């Protein structure tokens, strides 16, 4: 049996580590798999002594790769360092060998896109946010994205080099723009296969407030507590739903967001404030001038103002912070929910672990219509229910509709078996065979 080295985070509480653990189970029937853990304490440090130790860690991994037949890098750029120079240097070290190499891209930096003309337009329109956003895109492309892709293109001239993306759009773009020859695409896949790919069973207890009512409808949001996850949108939607709807937040602050000197993280404080704010419509007459001033609104119709206020009551008894869940608990947590809610904002993501796991276990899913989720839906169509990013009224309406419907019974086209086939093909197929492989991978879906 051939030996496969996977270079990835593995012990950390992060999505890449969780996916790698699932991938090991998928591939261990074909390869003898060893995971080289990327120590984030060393690699993310900007202190000179620790940066040197980080480089030494990468050098030790490279030295051991001579014992393996094939190599895979699960690439999330930030796991290799905190600065573009560290990331690029360490990536170049990891691909110096001549073994067959496959790089799985979990984040795709902007390719082409906006440039100087768009930057000038933002200046003319005094659009500060867009101006700095374009600057960041241009800088990340110049200092990080382009150097890494050029290194891969250079390597493919001397050794078998493949890339796996999580969307067809990204696979096609990188094939055309950079000239990568061996490009594959497949969405994240965790469970749903046979044997070792079955989701683990763990004991996660429901809050007592949920158990007390037999008609309770449970909603779940997942992942690190971060602004782009759209948790505020989910809470705003919950305010517009009947009292038997409850929201469970599975996740905690990212370790990098635990800051010295903060008793409460600012974003977490916003969540708590939104959950606990309480304007009692019955007291509207006495408090109306104060409420109008606080809301900064002018409403002549008292009935309309009461309608606005009805969505602003303390709902802390219906919002449950479930804490961070381990990788092996994710599937069980999702199966506790009647509806999985993914209200993510658009931040340039190309994949989502919670979405893939929820789809693998057949959950009802309501998600934001961002680019990553639209791309994912192309692989397993008609299994997702969309709402526009940030539209909490539409989210509330979609949730009530989905909660009254049976779970999706449509077959999964892209599974752990097709994911396993993609990884094997990335190591084994000749360049001329790749196009035919993709046509035959899931014939029912094309």
């Amino acid at each position: 049996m051939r030996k496969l080295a996977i270079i990835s985070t593995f012990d950390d509480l992060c999505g890449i580590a969780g996916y790698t653990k699932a991938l090991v189970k998928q591939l261990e029937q074909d390869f003898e798999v060893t995971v080289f853990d990327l120590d984030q304490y060393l690699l993310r440090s900007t202190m000179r002594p620790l940066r040197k130790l980080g480089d030494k860690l990468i050098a030790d991994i490279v030295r051991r790769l001579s014992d393996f037949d094939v190599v895979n890098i699960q690439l999330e750029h930030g796991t290799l360092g905190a600065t573009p120079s560290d990331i690029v240097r360490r990536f170049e070290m990891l691909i110096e060998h001549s073994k067959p190499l496959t790089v799985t891209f979990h984040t795709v930096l902007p390719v082409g896109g906006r440039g100087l003309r768009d930057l000038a337009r933002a200046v003319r329109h005094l659009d500060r946010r867009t101006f700095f956003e374009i600057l960041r895109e241009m800088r990340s492309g110049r200092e990080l994205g382009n150097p890494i892709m050029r290194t891969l293109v250079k390597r493919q001239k001397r050794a078998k080099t493949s890339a796996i993306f999580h969307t067809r759009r990204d696979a096609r773009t990188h094939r055309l723009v950079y000239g990568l020859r061996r490009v594959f695409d497949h969405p994240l896949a965790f469970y749903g296969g046979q044997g070792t790919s079955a989701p683990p069973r763990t004991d996660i207890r429901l809050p007592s407030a949920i158990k007390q009512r037999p008609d309770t409808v449970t909603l779940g949001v997942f992942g690190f507590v971060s602004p782009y996850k759209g948790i505020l949108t989910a809470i705003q939607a919950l305010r517009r739903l009947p009292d038997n709807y409850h929201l469970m937040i599975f996740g905690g602050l990212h370790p990098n967001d635990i800051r010295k000197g903060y008793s409460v993280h600012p974003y977490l404080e916003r969540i708590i404030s939104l959950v606990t704010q309480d304007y009692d419509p019955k007291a509207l007459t006495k408090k109306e001038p104060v409420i109008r001033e606080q809301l900064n609104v002018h409403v002549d119709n008292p009935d309309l103002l009461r309608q606005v206020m009805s969505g602003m009551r303390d709902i802390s008894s219906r919002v449950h912070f479930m804490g961070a869940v381990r990788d092996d608990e994710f599937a069980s947590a999702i199966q506790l929910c009647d509806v999985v809610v993914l209200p993510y904002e658009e931040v340039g993501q190309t994949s989502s672990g919670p979405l893939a796991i929820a789809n693998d276990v057949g959950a009802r899913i309501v998600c934001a219509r961002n680019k990553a989720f639209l791309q994912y839906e192309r692989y397993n169509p008609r299994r997702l229910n969309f709402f526009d990013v940030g539209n909490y009224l539409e989210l509330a309406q979609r949730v009530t509709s989905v909660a009254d419907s049976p779970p999706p019974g449509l077959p999964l086209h892209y599974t752990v078996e097709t994911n396993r086939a993609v990884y094997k093909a990335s190591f084994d197929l000749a360049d001329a065979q790749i196009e035919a492989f993709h046509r035959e991978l899931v014939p029912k879906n094309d």
Side-chain angles (χ1 to χ4, degrees):
M1 186 177 289
R2 290 183 296 172
K3 294 183 177 181
L4 165 63
I6 298 180
I7 302 168
S8 170
T9 57
F10 200 58
D11 288 331
D12 290 329
L13 189 67
C14 77
I16 308 303
Y19 177 68
T20 299
K21 291 172 183 175
L23 185 64
V24 168
K25 294 179 180 179
Q26 297 170 29
L27 297 179
E28 61 187 2
Q29 53 191 311
D30 303 300
F31 301 93
E32 182 181 330
V33 183
T34 299
V35 178
F36 290 95
D37 184 25
L38 296 172
D39 187 329
Q40 294 301 280
Y41 175 70
L42 295 179
L43 296 175
R44 292 284 302 171
S45 177
T46 56
M47 296 175 58
R48 186 173 181 180
L50 293 182
R51 289 176 67 197
K52 289 184 176 180
L53 289 176
D55 287 346
K56 183 178 181 299
L57 170 66
I58 298 298
D60 290 341
I61 293 174
V62 172
R63 186 162 50 251
R64 295 178 61 185
L65 292 182
S66 60
D67 297 331
F68 292 84
D69 300 299
V70 291
V71 179
N72 169 244
I73 300 175
Q74 296 289 317
L75 182 63
E76 177 67 50
H77 300 83
T79 61
L80 291 178
T83 66
S85 60
D86 283 350
I87 295 169
V88 173
R89 182 180 67 258
R90 291 164 180 168
F91 181 78
E92 290 175 347
M93 292 170 64
L94 288 171
I95 69 172
E96 283 179 354
H97 58 86
S98 59
K99 306 285 184 178
L101 169 73
T102 295
V103 179
T104 305
F105 286 84
H106 289 283
T107 292
V108 174
L109 299 175
V111 177
R114 296 179 292 185
L116 293 176
R117 182 175 297 178
D118 301 286
L119 199 65
R121 184 181 298 112
V123 172
R124 289 197 303 270
H125 290 86
L126 302 179
D127 189 344
R128 181 185 178 90
R129 179 177 178 178
T130 300
F131 176 81
F132 285 106
E133 188 178 274
I134 295 173
L135 277 184
R136 284 193 297 269
E137 289 179 3
M138 294 172 65
R139 182 179 179 182
S140 65
R142 181 179 67 254
E143 298 181 358
L144 192 57
N146 291 335
I148 283 180
M149 297 312 302
R150 285 197 298 266
T151 302
L152 274 186
V153 171
K154 184 178 179 180
R155 187 188 192 276
Q156 73 181 2
K157 297 177 182 178
R158 62 177 177 81
K160 183 176 285 187
T161 306
S162 304
I164 297 176
F165 297 92
H166 296 311
T167 72
R168 291 185 184 135
R169 176 192 60 192
D170 291 325
R172 181 175 181 271
T173 298
H174 283 74
R175 187 187 302 113
L176 294 175
V177 173
Y178 290 104
L180 289 175
R181 294 196 299 266
R182 304 178 54 80
V183 179
F184 299 81
D185 64 274
H186 197 285
L188 292 176
F190 290 81
Y191 308 115
Q194 300 175 352
T196 57
S197 293
R201 293 284 181 179
T202 57
D203 183 21
I204 299 179
R205 297 182 179 180
L206 283 171
S208 57
I210 292 179
K211 296 179 183 179
Q212 291 172 359
R213 291 185 59 168
D215 63 340
T216 297
V217 179
T218 55
L219 315 179
V221 295
F222 297 84
F224 289 119
V225 175
S226 178
Y228 85 89
K229 294 295 179 68
I231 297 175
L232 296 178
T233 302
I235 294 171
Q236 289 279 24
L238 185 69
R239 289 183 170 280
R240 276 75 188 172
L241 292 169
D243 290 343
N244 63 317
Y245 281 76
H246 286 243
L247 176 67
M248 296 188 291
I249 301 174
F250 292 93
L253 289 173
H254 192 284
N256 293 337
D257 287 332
I258 301 175
R259 305 177 185 177
K260 183 179 180 180
Y262 279 96
S263 56
V264 181
H265 188 277
Y267 182 67
L268 188 56
E269 191 170 26
R270 288 180 62 194
I271 292 175
I272 295 172
S273 176
L274 183 59
V275 169
T276 58
Q277 69 178 354
D278 188 6
Y279 290 101
D280 186 359
K282 295 179 181 179
L284 179 62
T285 303
K286 294 181 180 180
K287 297 183 179 180
E288 182 177 340
V290 177
I291 293 173
R292 287 180 184 275
E293 183 177 351
Q294 289 176 340
L295 290 178
N296 193 26
V297 297
H298 178 73
V299 181
D300 293 326
N301 188 336
D303 293 334
L304 180 57
L305 184 58
R306 287 189 178 89
Q307 185 177 352
V308 173
M309 306 313 304
S310 66
M312 304 182 73
R313 293 178 240 173
D314 187 326
I315 56 171
S316 55
S317 62
R318 297 167 55 205
V319 177
H320 311 278
F321 292 90
M322 305 297 291
V325 293
R326 300 191 309 269
D327 296 328
D328 60 352
E329 294 177 326
F330 243 97
S332 294
I334 285 172
Q335 289 170 319
L336 285 178
C337 304
D338 294 306
V339 182
V340 172
V341 178
L342 301 171
Y344 294 13
E345 298 174 4
E346 176 56 52
V347 292
Q349 275 192 317
T350 63
S351 59
S352 166
L355 173 63
I357 295 174
N359 198 35
D360 286 347
V361 301
R364 302 179 183 92
I365 302 170
V366 178
C367 58
R369 189 181 286 106
N370 63 35
K371 295 178 181 178
F373 293 168
L374 287 171
Q375 286 289 314
Y376 181 88
E377 203 262 347
R378 297 181 65 181
Y379 290 96
N380 294 295
R382 293 176 294 157
R383 295 177 66 90
L384 308 183
N385 302 274
F386 290 106
F387 72 97
D388 282 330
V389 176
N391 189 341
Y392 52 83
L393 294 178
E394 185 183 7
L395 171 57
Q397 295 163 2
R398 200 72 67 234
V399 162
T400 55
S401 173
V402 171
D404 292 335
S405 304
L410 298 169
L412 282 169
H413 294 304
Y414 286 78
T415 65
V416 292
E417 283 81 13
T418 56
N419 196 44
R420 171 190 166 207
V422 165
Y423 274 86
K424 289 177 61 181
S426 71
F427 296 125
D428 298 335
L429 290 186
D431 295 3
Q433 298 174 301
I434 294 176
E435 186 175 346
F437 167 79
H438 275 296
R439 286 199 303 267
E440 297 170 3
L441 184 63
V442 187
K444 293 180 180 180
N445 198 42
D446 296 322

